[in-house]
């Protein structure tokens, strides 16, 4: 597999009229209806919505893990019909390989490329340092805290140098302090790598902390109910009155 070393690639994600209908046990469920949006290269977009509003379904469709019933998704002009090499995925539940060390978890995707071993090792070492896991290279997932597991998840997603980083409630299982710390580090990584980010969360404060733009979802059927551009400089402070105004605005979008 060819692997792109440059950072100039344009990640333009386009989601057009996406609908998803599941045939649930109590009859059909319209998990998504007519969802459309675009993300510019380098933009940080959060999707926020209550439980059941179709966020994970959207994540799975954009990640090529699930097929849409209607509509389509494209990344940099390519139609997404399965896992795309230019998308790095981070799950809430980590999904690490328990039998692999930190280093080997991060190296997983790179082992499937034709990169020389020395180059692979160099990349993995850089990623370990980027996510702050130096000293834990040979540890196994079971010995790591939740925050550290998610650092591994993040490094693994970044390993192939994707232009799009796609995350589904990645910090949802972490305590407040670890969560804040990882949010700061993710912003730092984003600023350094200029990735395009689609970050899914049910946490309004998290969305206002992170996003350039917030897509507010509504449930039954899941659709985009409101779009909020967050015009606040970073780093953002939760005690800033303007932060509070955005928080209220998004929360209202969810309550409506
Ligand atoms: P969220 O991540 O916002 O909580 P989901 O995308 O997980 O929302 O779910 C949206 C809706 O689709 C919910 O009503 C959920 O019960 C339903 N759903 C999700 N996955 C399936 C499935 N595999 N089969 C049937 N219904 C599903
Ligand atoms: Mg979900």
């Amino acid at each position: 597999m060819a692997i792109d070393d440059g950072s100039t690639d344009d990640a333009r994600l386009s989601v057009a009229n996406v609908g998803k209908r599941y045939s649930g046990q109590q009859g059909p469920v319209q998990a998504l209806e007519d969802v459309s949006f675009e993300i510019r290269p380098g933009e940080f977009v959060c999707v926020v919505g209550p439980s059941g509003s179709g966020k994970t379904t959207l994540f799975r469709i954009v990640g090529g893990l699930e097929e849409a019933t209607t509509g389509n998704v494209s990344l940099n002009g390519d139609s997404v019909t399965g896992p795309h090499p230019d998308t790095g995925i981070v799950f809430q539940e980590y999904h690490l390989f328990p039998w692999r060390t930190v280093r080997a978890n991060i190296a997983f995707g790179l082992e499937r490329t034709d990169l020389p071993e020395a180059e692979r090792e160099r990349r993995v070492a850089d990623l370990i340092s980027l996510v702050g896991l130096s000293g834990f290279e040979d540890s196994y997932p079971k010995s790591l805290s939740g925050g550290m597991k998610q650092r591994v998840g993040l490094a693994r997603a970044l390993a192939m140098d994707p232009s799009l980083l796609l995350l589904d409630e990645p910090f949802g299982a972490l305590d407040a302090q670890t969560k804040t710390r990882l949010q700061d580090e993710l912003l730092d990584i984003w600023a350094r790598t200029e990735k395009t980010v689609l970050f899914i969360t049910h946490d309004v404060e998290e969305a206002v902390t992170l996003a350039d733009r917030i897509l507010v979802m509504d449930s039954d059927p899941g659709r985009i109910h409101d779009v909020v551009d967050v015009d606040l400089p970073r780093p953002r402070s939760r005690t800033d009155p303007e932060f509070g105004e955005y928080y209220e605005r998004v929360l209202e979008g969810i309550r409506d």
Side-chain angles (χ1 to χ4, degrees), residues 20-204:
K20 177 72 184 183
R21 196 176 175 84
Y22 291 111
S23 41
Q25 273 160 353
Q26 276 94 21
V29 178
Q30 192 71 36
L32 292 175
E33 188 173 87
D34 202 22
V35 171
S36 297
F37 61 92
E38 286 211 351
I39 306 190
R40 295 187 301 275
E43 195 180 11
F44 198 128
V45 171
C46 280
V47 174
V48 69
S51 170
S53 56
K55 301 184 302 297
T56 294
T57 301
L58 178 64
F59 163 83
R60 293 181 56 83
I61 292 172
V62 170
L65 307 172
E66 184 105 55
E67 232 182 301
T69 313
T70 57
N72 49 64
V73 175
S74 68
L75 181 61
N76 306 326
D78 271 359
S79 188
V80 172
T81 53
H84 194 286
D86 217 17
T87 302
I89 295 185
V90 182
F91 300 91
Q92 176 173 351
E93 302 304 336
Y94 322 119
H95 291 296
L96 303 179
F97 303 109
W99 58 86
R100 283 179 166 243
T101 62
V102 164
R103 190 198 320 267
N105 263 285
I106 296 170
F108 181 78
L110 292 171
E111 289 167 6
R112 277 139 194 83
T113 67
D114 50 15
L115 280 182
E117 194 174 336
E119 169 64 13
R120 272 188 271 162
E121 281 174 11
R122 191 187 61 76
R123 281 206 187 197
V124 172
D126 286 351
L127 285 162
I128 285 174
S129 140
L130 182 73
V131 300
L133 282 173
S134 301
F136 295 93
E137 291 83 350
D138 298 317
S139 301
Y140 285 88
K142 67 172 187 307
S143 69
L144 303 178
S145 66
M148 288 164 84
K149 284 182 193 160
Q150 203 52 299
R151 289 168 192 270
V152 179
L154 203 51
R156 184 180 57 182
L158 291 167
M160 303 291 282
D161 197 21
S163 54
L164 176 69
L165 199 54
L166 177 63
L167 315 93
D168 187 15
E169 310 217 22
F171 308 145
L174 307 178
D175 63 80
Q177 211 181 337
T178 307
K179 184 178 196 168
T180 306
R181 183 133 176 225
L182 278 168
Q183 287 168 352
D184 289 346
E185 291 180 19
L186 176 64
L187 284 175
D188 192 47
I189 290 170
W190 169 66
R192 281 203 262 168
T193 61
E194 302 177 327
K195 303 287 180 205
T196 302
V197 179
L198 182 60
F199 185 108
I200 289 169
T201 180
H202 67 267
D203 178 341
V204 175

